[in-house]
């Protein structure tokens, strides 16, 4: 015996578990078919055109959901309706968990499409077809949608599988991202903004490092929350994961830059600062030091000549030892002036290096945020 039936699927609610790649769907399935052995003349039976009977009284198709992974939540209606012309109809309520390949690349700004494949084990004797169009089912589903939670129902696409003689319902859902933006993305941006603020502040390097480490610990807590949501089996890394990784790298780079500057401050004659000084200020430092030495030397030389003349004029002038002492004083003051000039130039080179590192860090951060925004919006 070959039979036929029509079906109508109206999803009302959906709950997604990203970690397990499953979706829990509540929907109503209405089926109609004709039983030629269940007809009567209503005038012969007190004008009874239709009545309800227990579902086990007559034969009804056994429906299987191909993607179903949880069978304990199916709620089948225990009655079916029969009309006088042999049309049998039944409505089944299903609350099932189905497997769905979730595309998490644009999480939390993603749109997911899951399939519900309806078929029966007696697929050779039963032919399925749908009584409503895609637009009609979509409008009916939107009308009876129960909740306004994380997911927003968009549309249903109905297709027929010729090999299995089954009906495939493709349900499209759009995630409402506001909760994840407020709980994950916004705190991450706020922590990084604080990191950049302390990086450009005038605090000591030790205080900067301790504050930056505290911010990294706070970012680690947010990363643990994200790890409990994103599935580990995803081949294509989500953009939000790359966003968190990039923020971590930028924060660690900030700490390394601060450590480098702190080390150079304690050792001002480091080869890096020497190179910067030679490239930038060598000529100016020599000119300044030469002028200072020449002025100081001229004054000291005049003093030495005056004392020499006075010593020659005095009767004990030949045994005077003041001239070597003045020469040593000239050399000592010259070395002191040269050392102070070198320290001043090293300090200036350290400030230049600090500005270069911080500006490069800022430009790299802006480039990273632009790339992430473009990826999410594309």
């Amino acid at each position: 015996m070959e039979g036929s039936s029509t079906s109508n699927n109206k999803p009302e609610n959906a709950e997604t578990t990203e970690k397990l790649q499953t979706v829990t769907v509540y929907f109503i399935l209405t089926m109609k078919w004709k039983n030629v052995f269940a007809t009567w003349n209503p005038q012969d039976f007190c004008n009874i055109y239709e009545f309800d009977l227990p579902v086990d009284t007559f034969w009804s198709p056994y429906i299987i959901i191909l993607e179903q992974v949880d069978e304990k939540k199916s709620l089948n209606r225990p009655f079916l309706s029969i009309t006088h012309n042999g049309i049998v109809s039944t409505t089944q309520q299903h609350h099932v968990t189905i497997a769905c390949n979730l595309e998490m690349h644009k999480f939390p700004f993603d749109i997911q499409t899951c399939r519900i494949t309806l078929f029966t084990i007696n697929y050779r004797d039963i032919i399925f077809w749908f009584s409503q169009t895609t637009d009609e089912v979509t409008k009916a589903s939107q009308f009876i949608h129960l909740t306004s939670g994380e997911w927003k129902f968009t549309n249903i696409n109905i297709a027929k599988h010729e090999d299995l003689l089954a009906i495939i319902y493709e349900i499209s859902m759009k995630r409402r991202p506001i909760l994840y933006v407020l709980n994950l993305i916004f705190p991450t941006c706020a922590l990084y903004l604080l990191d950049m603020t302390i990086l450009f502040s005038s605090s000591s390097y030790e205080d900067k490092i301790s504050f930056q480490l505290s911010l990294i610990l706070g970012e680690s807590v947010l990363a643990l929350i994200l790890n409990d949501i994103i599935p580990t089996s995803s081949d294509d890394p989500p953009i939000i994961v790359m966003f968190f990784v990039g923020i971590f790298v930028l924060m660690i780079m900030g700490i390394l830059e601060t450590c480098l500057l702190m080390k150079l401050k304690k050792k001002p004659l480091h080869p890096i600062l020497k190179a910067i000084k030679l490239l930038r200020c060598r000529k100016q430092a020599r000119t300044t030091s030469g002028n200072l030495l020449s002025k100081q030397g001229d004054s000291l030389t005049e003093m030495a000549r005056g004392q020499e003349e006075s010593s020659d004029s005095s009767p004990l002038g030949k045994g005077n030892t003041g001239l070597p002492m003045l020469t040593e004083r000239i050399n000592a003051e010259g070395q002191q002036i040269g050392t102070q000039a070198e320290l001043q130039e090293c300090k200036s080179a350290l400030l230049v290096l600090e500005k270069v590192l911080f500006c490069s860090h800022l430009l790299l951060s802006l480039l990273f945020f632009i790339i992430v925004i473009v990826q999410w919006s594309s």
Side-chain angles (χ1 to χ4, degrees):
M1 174 181 176
E2 181 176 309
S4 61
S5 64
T6 60
S7 62
N8 182 18
N9 189 356
K10 297 179 181 179
E12 296 186 3
N13 197 3
E15 180 181 355
T16 304
T17 304
E18 291 84 357
K19 198 71 175 178
L20 301 177
Q21 295 280 298
T22 59
V23 177
T24 302
V25 183
Y26 171 67
F27 64 93
I28 297 175
L29 177 65
T30 301
M31 296 185 296
K32 293 182 180 180
W33 65 94
K34 186 173 183 178
N35 189 342
V36 295
F37 299 102
T39 60
W40 70 91
N41 187 357
Q43 297 178 356
D44 296 337
F45 297 94
C46 300
N47 293 326
I48 297 176
Y49 291 89
E50 181 182 0
F51 62 92
D52 296 333
L53 289 175
V55 71
D56 296 333
T57 305
F58 288 91
W59 173 89
S60 60
Y62 180 71
I63 300 300
I64 298 175
I65 301 175
L66 183 62
E67 297 83 4
Q68 183 173 350
V69 295
D70 188 358
E71 299 179 351
K72 297 180 180 180
K73 295 182 179 180
S74 297
L75 304 173
N76 295 328
R77 184 180 177 181
F79 295 98
L80 52 82
S81 177
I82 304 176
T83 60
H84 68 283
N85 54 3
I87 300 299
V88 183
S89 62
T90 180
T91 300
Q92 299 177 358
Q93 300 178 0
H94 292 272
H95 190 194
V96 297
T97 301
I98 60 175
C100 183
N101 186 17
L102 301 178
E103 297 292 338
M104 304 296 295
H105 181 67
K106 290 188 177 182
F107 176 88
F109 307 98
D110 53 333
I111 299 176
Q112 303 294 340
T113 301
C114 299
R115 287 186 174 185
I116 298 179
T117 304
L118 304 178
F119 72 103
T120 179
I121 55 176
N122 299 322
Y123 63 91
R124 294 184 178 179
D125 297 330
I126 299 175
I127 300 175
F128 281 100
W129 75 83
F130 38 89
S131 60
Q132 290 183 328
T133 63
T134 299
D135 295 335
E136 292 174 348
V137 175
T138 300
K139 291 180 180 180
S141 300
Q142 292 175 346
F143 178 75
I144 62 176
H145 191 65
L146 296 180
T147 63
S148 58
E150 178 182 356
W151 292 96
K152 179 181 179 181
F153 170 76
T154 55
N155 68 308
I156 295 179
N157 185 27
I158 306 176
K160 191 173 182 180
H161 198 290
E162 298 296 339
D163 296 335
L164 294 177
L165 298 179
I167 296 179
I168 301 175
Y169 293 89
E170 294 182 351
I171 305 173
S172 298
M173 302 173 294
K174 183 178 181 181
R175 192 191 304 269
R176 292 184 172 95
I178 184 64
L179 182 64
Y180 297 98
V181 171
L182 294 178
N183 289 341
L184 293 176
I185 299 177
F186 178 75
T188 301
C189 295
L191 290 177
Y192 188 69
L193 181 61
L194 291 176
D195 182 77
M196 292 295 295
T197 303
I198 195 64
L199 192 65
F200 283 91
S201 66
S202 59
S203 303
S204 63
Y205 294 135
E206 292 81 2
D207 294 338
K208 286 184 179 181
I209 292 176
S210 61
F211 191 78
Q212 287 172 331
L213 289 176
S214 302
L215 294 178
I216 288 181
L217 291 177
E219 185 68 15
S220 301
V221 175
L222 296 176
L224 291 177
I225 297 175
L226 179 65
N227 185 59
D228 295 335
I229 300 174
I230 301 298
T232 56
S233 59
S234 179
D235 296 330
D236 189 10
I239 298 176
I240 192 172
V241 174
M242 305 305 296
F243 173 70
F244 269 74
V245 173
I247 293 295
F248 268 113
V249 172
L250 291 174
M251 285 184 171
I252 293 174
M253 286 178 58
I255 292 180
L256 294 178
E257 292 170 1
T258 307
C259 293
L260 176 62
L261 294 173
M262 183 175 62
K263 183 177 180 181
L264 294 179
K265 183 179 180 181
K266 292 181 179 180
K267 296 181 179 180
L269 297 180
H270 194 273
I272 297 178
L273 292 182
K274 285 184 178 181
I276 296 176
K277 181 185 68 174
L278 291 175
L279 292 174
R280 182 177 177 270
C281 306
R282 184 173 182 179
K283 185 176 180 180
Q284 183 180 0
R286 286 183 175 181
T287 304
T288 305
S289 300
N291 294 332
L292 292 174
L293 287 173
S294 61
K295 291 180 181 179
Q296 187 70 23
D298 293 339
S299 62
L300 292 176
T301 302
E302 292 177 358
M303 292 175 61
R305 289 177 180 177
Q307 290 183 3
E308 184 177 0
E309 291 176 356
S310 63
S311 63
D312 290 341
S313 62
S314 65
L316 299 177
K318 293 183 179 180
N320 192 5
T321 59
L323 184 59
M325 295 178 62
L326 289 175
T327 305
E328 292 178 358
R329 182 180 174 185
I330 292 172
N331 294 332
E333 291 186 359
Q335 291 179 359
Q336 183 178 3
I337 293 173
T339 304
Q340 291 178 355
E342 186 177 0
L343 292 175
Q344 186 66 26
E345 292 301 325
C346 290
K347 185 177 180 181
S348 177
L350 181 63
L351 293 176
V352 172
L353 178 61
E354 182 178 1
K355 291 181 180 179
V356 170
L357 289 176
F358 290 169
C359 291
S360 302
H361 192 86
L362 178 61
L363 292 177
L364 185 61
S365 302
L366 292 176
L367 180 62
F368 170 73
F369 276 96
I370 291 174
I371 293 175
V372 171
I373 293 174
V374 170
Q375 289 289 329
W376 257 325
S377 61
S378 61

